[in-house]
Amino acid sequence: MPRALNGIDMAMLFTEGRPGKIRINIRGEGDVRVLSLAQPLGGGGPEMAAGVNVDGPLAVVVERVLHEAARY
């Protein structure tokens, strides 16, 4: 749903299945190739629909990944 909003080029969904185990689904719109964001974080997948598994507290992971996304 977030990608359906005007002006959204990238959407991320953070889920914590087990404490400290964070799964991040990243989707890109237009020419935003999210694989380039996911790979340095240890993730992979298609260029427009990548994913990452990150260990750590949810708040810390969210802050880190959002910082990297803003730089991207």
Side-chain angles (χ1 to χ4, degrees):
M1 284 181 69
R3 291 185 318 158
L5 301 171
N6 278 340
I8 299 299
D9 295 325
M10 180 189 309
M12 289 185 262
L13 174 65
F14 294 79
T15 54
E16 184 175 29
R18 291 182 299 164
K21 302 290 183 182
I22 314 303
R23 169 78 182 158
I24 309 161
N25 294 297
I26 312 170
R27 301 295 181 262
E29 272 302 312
D31 59 352
V32 178
R33 310 274 185 244
V34 295
L35 179 59
S36 299
L37 172 64
Q39 284 178 324
L41 298 169
E47 286 200 24
M48 303 299 288
V52 183
N53 291 309
V54 181
D55 292 336
L58 179 60
V60 173
V61 171
V62 168
E63 183 177 334
R64 174 181 166 215
V65 173
L66 291 181
H67 175 75
E68 291 300 321
R71 286 182 38 181
Y72 176 75

